Amino acid sequence: MVGWWQGLGDRRRGVVLDLLLWAALAAPIVAALASPPSRPYDPVLLVAEPLLLGIAVAVSRRQPLVALVLVITPTLLDGNFLFAIPVLSYLAGLRMARARPAGLVFAVIAAGGTGLNLWVLESALSTWFLLATMLLFAGVFPWLLGRYRRQHGELVRAGWARAELLEREQAGAAERVRMRERARIAGDMHDSLGHDLSLIALRAGALELAPGLDDGQRAAAGELRASVAAATDRLREIIGVLREDAGAAPTRPVDESVTELVDRATAAGLAVDLRWPDRPVGHATRLRDAQHPEDAGPELPVMVGRAVHRVVQEALTNAARYAPGAPVTVEVDRTAERIEVRVHNGRPPAGPLPVPVTAGTGLLGLRERVRLAGGTLAAGPHAGGFAVVARLPLVADGVTADPDAPVRLLAGATADDGGLRAQRRRVRRSLLVAVTAPLAIAAMLSLVYYPFVTFDSVLHRSEFERLRIGAPRTELAPMLPGRQAQGLAKNTGPAPVNAACEFYTDGNFPLALPAYRLCFADGLLVAKDELPG
């Protein structure tokens, strides 16, 4: 069944839905016209009204306002069209991009209906009020709901489009960050290898000048010195292509330890506490001495050591930039298989840190460096501050993780959905307007209508009970209001023969319908009745 429906195509599905809608809306009209008692012109209406409704449904996709007018106008003749007004009003709000034409149509209908009822047909004010309320709740209110539904759909689609755009932009930015980080790694390798090669060249030169060597050995030492110098030059040329600024100074001193990095940050005014598990603070002097001195293990792999230094450096930089004055703790935990670095800054004195929506370029570059070293990186809000945790293997396992994956948040950290909350607030505000606007307009109509129809037309119960049957009209005139009630009296029963009846209200809200009937014949009160309801 689902496959059959999907196979129809958008246009045929629309035709089927329109036919079902027409059948649903035409059903009450056909049922009313086919039910007794019948009128002479009912057969004509039985064909004309469903046909008119079919035309309205057919044009509702392209001209929803025209369809709405086509079902509102026949309500002057047949109240069964009232069932179609809310549906087509909702579809008009859903399918129209602009609100002004619909507002203009509703205003014209309201003004035309007011003039037709009050001046042409001379209907009672209560009739006009009922029709105005009907237009409000059967026309305007469904249109506002459809308008809200359209805005919500547009908001969702725009949000997805913006998310896709941001995703593409972030992918491009992340790629640029990764390339810059790789260039920085290459620069670090150049600084380290260049330093080592320079030492080799220096020692080869000293060997070349050492006494006691024959000519062959001296020539070999010279060739070694020349080869090392040429390798150093080629390394500088290759790495220089990768660097954005070939002449830029290195980002840190060559072979700087974490302890030295922390010392520099502390000297700059940052409150840093360096901790090695199971050891006094500051016991270790260099990164390669992360174990107890008596258990000193081998030096860290070059990529791992530089990644550890880079994690601490970036985390301290972020702490100084985004949480000035907050205490910072650096923990380095090393085992035989891996090394873990955790940098956590506390709550800044100025207040809690804002939670980042996505990782910044610094964290993206940091993640790339850790990934190339075979480790993982996690970052996010923690205990009112911010924490960065890197875990790197001491045994080379190759590159890990997906280069396009985002920086993983720490457990318990959540991304800020402030933008999403703002969008939801706008949608809720639109829904609030759709619900409260008709109620507010109805309240305003009541506040205008009720004082007008009750002015000098209210007969209080105490006055009604004092009216005496047989009393002259002239004698009762001081107790009677100056105006009669405007509403239509129902269930009044037959009036006395040759009597003229007057109707007054007791002030019932909101319609102020007639509550009392007074009938006079030959100037005398011959009947007084309290109307039901």
Side-chain angles (χ1 to χ4, degrees):
M1 184 67 181
V2 176
W4 171 82
W5 177 254
Q6 295 294 333
L8 286 179
D10 293 340
R11 185 173 182 179
R12 292 183 178 179
R13 285 199 299 268
V15 173
V16 173
L17 292 176
D18 286 346
L19 289 175
L20 294 176
L21 176 62
W22 170 78
L25 297 179
I29 297 178
V30 174
L33 294 175
S35 301
S38 61
R39 297 165 295 185
Y41 50 85
D42 279 352
V44 178
L45 295 180
L46 191 58
V47 175
E49 291 186 358
L51 179 60
L52 179 62
L53 186 60
I55 295 175
V57 172
V59 302
S60 62
R61 292 186 179 273
R62 294 182 177 271
Q63 300 293 335
L65 278 183
V66 174
L68 183 59
V69 173
L70 287 177
V71 297
I72 290 179
T73 305
T75 53
L76 296 174
L77 303 175
D78 190 349
N80 290 317
F81 273 94
L82 182 64
F83 293 99
I85 295 178
V87 177
L88 292 181
S89 294
Y90 173 82
L91 293 178
L94 182 64
R95 293 170 176 174
M96 290 185 60
R98 299 174 57 197
R100 184 173 299 177
L104 182 61
V105 167
F106 283 123
V108 170
I109 292 174
T114 299
L116 181 64
N117 280 277
L118 296 183
W119 287 286
V120 178
L121 302 178
E122 296 183 352
S123 302
L125 279 177
S126 59
T127 303
W128 168 84
F129 181 76
L130 287 174
L131 292 176
T133 306
M134 187 183 304
L135 175 65
L136 183 65
F137 285 97
V140 177
F141 180 64
W143 176 82
L144 287 173
L145 288 179
R147 181 75 178 168
Y148 158 76
R149 187 69 181 85
R150 178 185 179 87
Q151 290 179 342
H152 180 268
E154 291 177 347
L155 183 62
V156 171
R157 288 189 293 272
W160 280 112
R162 179 172 177 80
E164 292 175 358
L165 177 62
L166 289 177
E167 186 177 357
R168 290 194 297 269
E169 292 178 351
Q170 289 177 357
E175 181 62 27
R176 291 192 295 271
V177 170
R178 286 196 296 269
M179 295 304 298
R180 284 198 298 268
E181 189 62 27
R182 292 181 181 183
R184 188 180 291 114
I185 294 173
D188 290 344
M189 293 298 101
H190 168 268
D191 296 338
S192 177
L193 293 177
H195 178 71
D196 294 339
L197 289 175
S198 298
L199 292 178
I200 295 174
L202 180 63
R203 290 169 181 169
L207 179 63
E208 184 180 5
L209 299 177
L213 298 179
D214 56 30
D215 293 341
Q217 292 173 333
R218 198 178 304 280
E223 292 176 0
L224 175 62
R225 176 183 55 80
S227 298
V228 171
T232 303
D233 291 339
R234 286 196 298 272
L235 177 65
R236 183 180 296 109
E237 292 175 359
I238 295 173
I239 301 300
V241 174
L242 297 178
R243 279 184 167 179
E244 295 181 1
D245 184 2
T251 57
R252 67 180 182 92
V254 177
D255 202 27
E256 182 185 46
S257 68
V258 171
T259 302
E260 293 166 346
L261 174 61
V262 170
D263 291 341
R264 286 199 296 116
T266 303
L270 195 62
V272 185
D273 181 14
L274 177 59
R275 300 177 182 177
W276 311 89
D278 303 327
R279 303 182 61 185
V281 175
H283 186 83
T285 57
R286 301 187 64 79
L287 185 61
R288 66 188 61 176
D289 301 326
Q291 297 176 326
H292 293 281
E294 61 270 21
D295 299 328
E299 294 187 5
L300 294 177
V302 176
M303 289 291 291
V304 174
R306 294 184 181 276
V308 169
H309 184 280
R310 185 78 176 89
V311 168
V312 177
Q313 183 185 48
E314 180 67 22
L316 293 179
T317 300
N318 289 340
R321 179 181 302 171
Y322 299 112
V328 183
T329 301
V330 179
E331 296 183 18
V332 182
D333 182 16
R334 176 174 176 174
T335 65
E337 294 80 18
R338 55 97 181 154
I339 185 169
E340 177 178 315
V341 183
R342 174 183 290 268
V343 184
H344 171 251
N345 61 264
R347 183 185 300 271
L353 286 174
V355 182
V357 176
T358 57
T361 57
L363 289 179
L364 288 174
L366 199 61
R367 180 192 177 281
E368 178 67 9
R369 182 180 286 265
V370 172
R371 186 186 71 86
L372 292 176
T376 59
L377 180 74
H382 180 72
F386 198 85
V388 178
V389 180
R391 297 179 179 88
L392 300 108
L394 297 183
V395 179
D397 291 332
V399 178
T400 62
D402 179 8
D404 296 324
V407 176
R408 183 172 61 89
L409 292 176
L410 292 173
T414 56
D416 182 18
D417 58 345
L420 181 59
R421 285 198 301 268
Q423 293 177 352
R424 289 175 176 171
R425 282 196 299 269
R426 287 194 293 269
V427 173
R428 287 195 297 266
R429 191 181 303 119
S430 177
L431 178 60
L432 182 63
V433 170
V435 173
T436 59
L439 298 178
I441 296 175
M444 292 177 61
L445 288 176
S446 299
L447 293 176
V448 173
Y449 168 80
Y450 183 76
F452 178 79
V453 296
T454 57
F455 176 74
D456 200 19
S457 65
V458 177
L459 178 62
H460 298 286
R461 175 174 291 276
S462 59
E463 299 292 339
F464 175 77
E465 293 175 351
R466 289 172 53 192
L467 300 177
R468 181 172 51 85
I469 300 296
R473 177 69 171 76
T474 54
E475 179 183 335
L476 301 178
M479 292 186 293
L480 298 179
R483 299 170 57 240
Q484 295 189 47
Q486 298 294 320
L488 295 177
K490 297 182 179 180
N491 303 322
T492 58
V497 181
N498 299 325
C501 297
E502 301 174 3
F503 296 89
Y504 299 96
T505 182
D506 60 354
N508 55 85
F509 184 84
L511 299 179
L513 294 174
Y516 306 115
R517 183 181 70 173
L518 305 179
C519 297
F520 297 89
D522 298 329
L524 300 178
L525 180 62
V526 295
K528 67 174 188 178
D529 302 293
E530 184 174 357
L531 302 179

